Amino acid sequence: MSKPIIGITGAYIFKNKFMEGTYVHHDYQNTIAANGGLPIILPFVEEALSIEMVDLCDAVLLSGGEDVDPILFGEDPHRNIGDTILLRDQVELQIIKRAMETNKPILAICRGIQILNVALGGTLIQDIPSQLPDSIKHTQSVSRSLDSHFVSIKENSKLAAIIGEGVTRVNSLHHQAIDSLAEDLEVVATSSDGIIEAVEHKNYPRFLLGIQWHPESMASTNEKMNRIFAEFIKSIK
């Protein structure tokens, strides 16, 4: 039987004047492959092509990367906003739209949960440290494979069923987060400072999970995190 094709959205990297282009951290494709999926990278080229890209895939993984351009939720840029690429945002909005129109399973990680929320009508905290000075540290200094803070998971949520416990430790590599939650989403995990760490869709008929941490970088040594990918791929069949 052929492996399910998982389209992973790509970020941008500039190495030098001879080397630049689409980039995805290898933990994404390695974890997808380890769980029986066939990973392919979806570059942001143009909005029209994104529809055809989604149609090639059995499921979509919205990956991490650049900050989301605040023009998409009606705000001016905060002084501490990082790099943004409006084309990537626009392409991913179309990817989300097409994936949902065709009922594809969706896993949204880090930036992915943020662009998902924006696509469905929500807004973002543009810079946690300056906008929420009493927040915990969300950009860890240790290796991305290591956990750095606790999250509390909502009882009876799909995420709780996957993780198997109400509190777990996660890694953290973000300075943006969900602010106003899209109407169709439901919060299923938070950190101790109230930052939204995971969401599910209220009525989407397929797997749809947004996660603010990076389970792909913990999955090789943490069975709970690996189960997120196992269930994502299992949902395709």
Side-chain angles (χ1 to χ4, degrees):
M1 190 172 78
S2 59
K3 292 181 171 63
I5 298 172
I6 314 300
I8 306 171
T9 57
Y12 169 80
I13 191 169
F14 178 87
K15 186 173 178 64
N16 57 51
K17 64 181 180 180
F18 303 112
M19 297 176 65
E20 62 177 311
T22 303
Y23 163 81
V24 169
H25 194 283
H26 61 194
D27 287 347
Y28 289 104
Q29 55 258 38
N30 289 345
T31 305
I32 291 296
N35 283 281
L38 178 63
I40 64 171
I41 311 305
L42 307 181
F44 51 92
V45 181
E46 58 182 70
E47 292 181 58
L49 279 180
S50 64
I51 294 173
E52 296 183 56
M53 290 180 187
V54 171
D55 289 348
L56 290 172
C57 302
D58 296 302
V60 170
L61 193 162
L62 302 168
S63 71
E66 300 83 11
D67 286 356
V68 176
D69 195 316
I71 194 173
L72 297 175
F73 47 95
E75 293 184 8
D76 286 327
H78 188 277
R79 65 184 180 276
N80 292 336
I81 196 170
D83 293 338
T84 61
I85 302 176
L86 185 58
L87 177 60
R88 180 181 181 186
D89 298 336
Q90 292 167 333
V91 164
E92 291 188 3
L93 292 177
Q94 292 303 313
I95 286 174
I96 293 166
K97 180 181 178 182
R98 182 60 175 175
M100 295 187 73
E101 286 175 346
T102 53
N103 289 330
K104 310 272 188 183
I106 299 171
L107 177 58
I109 293 175
C110 196
R111 169 198 155 89
I113 189 178
Q114 297 163 13
I115 193 69
L116 175 67
N117 185 58
V118 170
L120 298 179
T123 67
L124 302 180
I125 300 167
Q126 294 189 48
D127 182 61
I128 295 170
S130 58
Q131 293 181 259
L132 296 172
D134 293 329
S135 61
I136 64 172
K137 184 177 178 66
H138 285 276
T139 306
Q140 67 190 51
S141 303
V142 297
S143 168
R144 65 186 285 147
S145 65
L146 301 176
D147 59 85
S148 67
H149 69 76
F150 292 99
V151 297
S152 298
I153 301 172
K154 184 178 179 180
E155 188 177 1
N156 297 323
S157 63
K158 294 183 180 69
L159 181 60
I162 293 170
I163 297 296
E165 57 189 10
V167 177
T168 195
R169 295 276 296 179
V170 302
N171 56 7
S172 194
L173 295 164
H174 64 107
H175 81 113
Q176 297 198 312
I178 291 175
D179 187 6
S180 174
L181 184 69
E183 184 177 350
D184 288 336
L185 296 177
E186 177 183 12
V187 177
V188 296
T190 56
S191 50
S192 61
D193 55 5
I195 291 293
I196 295 172
E197 293 282 348
V199 298
E200 295 172 6
H201 199 280
K202 293 178 181 177
N203 48 39
Y204 190 62
R206 302 295 299 278
F207 183 105
L208 194 158
L209 177 62
I211 294 176
Q212 186 58 76
W213 67 91
H214 282 273
E216 78 284 357
S217 294
M218 302 176 70
S220 65
T221 58
N222 186 314
E223 178 56 30
K224 292 178 292 186
M225 298 303 152
N226 191 66
R227 284 200 296 268
I228 293 169
F229 295 89
E231 291 300 315
F232 172 50
I233 293 172
K234 180 181 176 181
S235 75
I236 298 166
K237 302 170 184 177

